[in-house]
Amino acid sequence: MDYKLKVKLIHHDAKLPYRANEGDAGLDLFSIEEKIIKPGEAELIRTGIQMELPRGTEAQVRPRSGLALKHSITVLNSPGTIDEGYRGEIKVILINHGKEDFKVERHMRIAQMVIAPVLQVKLKQVEVLSDTVRDKGGFGSSGK
Ligand SMILES: O=c1ccn([C@H]2C[C@H](O)[C@@H](COP(=O)(O)OP(=O)(O)OP(=O)(O)O)O2)c(=O)[nH]1
Ligand SMILES: [Mg+2]
């Protein structure tokens, strides 16, 4: 399928999201700023891009496993939700779970974005729900 992701660069340091390998699910997002993230703290990082998502989709902002494993850096609100109608700048909330300062460099790939379909459901309030085998069981009800 040929879905178009329209991207507008709004800063001279901004870069188009980067697909490292053909077929990769994630498109890497680049930082346009240098910032120190102290241990235990979170920072909002600019990407310098705005987007127009394909109809009926969202973008999920997820951590990069390399940054998580090597530097304990992850996305605080993972997966971040980019709504289809959002036209503002894409920003990433990074948190430092490590013990040392982490320096975000300009042009560093800080997170990745996955474009996913969204069902636009109609809400309906009801008094009765259908029966199922699971019923109200959850939170470990099926055992280890
Ligand atoms: O990691 C993120 C998460 C969100 N956004 C942008 C796009 C998204 O469409 C908008 C709102 O995000 P969200 O719905 O998660 O935040 P909210 O706290 O519910 O704010 P709002 O009331 O604006 O929906 O902020 C980002 O740029 N990065
Ligand atoms: Mg919201």
Side-chain angles (χ1 to χ4, degrees):
M1 282 296 209
D2 201 19
Y3 296 107
K4 288 266 180 315
L5 173 64
K6 296 182 184 172
V7 180
K8 184 173 169 186
L9 306 182
I10 58 165
H11 188 275
H12 52 82
D13 281 316
K15 288 168 174 260
L16 288 177
Y18 173 71
R19 185 179 280 121
N21 302 284
E22 200 185 320
D24 280 0
L27 293 159
D28 291 336
L29 294 170
F30 293 89
S31 169
I32 58 166
E33 39 186 6
E34 283 181 5
K35 225 172 216 180
I36 303 286
I37 313 178
K38 294 188 184 308
E41 294 193 0
E43 296 285 348
L44 188 62
I45 312 289
R46 295 186 58 191
T47 67
I49 66 169
Q50 294 170 333
M51 305 194 308
E52 185 175 331
L53 285 161
R55 282 288 297 276
T57 69
E58 59 155 343
Q60 299 174 358
V61 180
R62 305 184 187 174
R64 294 187 69 209
S65 61
L67 287 179
L69 183 64
K70 291 180 203 140
H71 303 286
S72 300
I73 293 292
T74 186
V75 175
L76 177 59
N77 57 328
S78 182
T81 305
I82 311 295
D83 298 287
E84 182 191 313
Y86 180 69
R87 295 289 180 271
E89 181 178 359
I90 307 301
K91 295 180 183 174
V92 177
I93 310 170
L94 289 182
I95 181 159
N96 182 354
H97 285 305
K99 294 189 173 69
E100 288 164 19
D101 284 4
F102 179 78
K103 187 177 182 203
V104 175
E105 306 277 3
R106 189 172 294 115
H107 297 159
M108 178 183 270
R109 287 181 282 147
I110 52 171
Q112 60 188 321
M113 185 173 72
V114 174
I115 314 300
V118 173
L119 286 180
Q120 286 294 340
V121 296
K122 291 201 180 92
L123 289 176
K124 184 180 177 189
Q125 186 176 343
V126 297
E127 298 303 326
V128 179
L129 301 173
S130 68
D131 291 331
T132 67
V133 174
R134 174 175 282 276
D135 197 27
K136 295 193 176 66
F139 313 99
S141 67
S142 65
K144 280 190 186 173

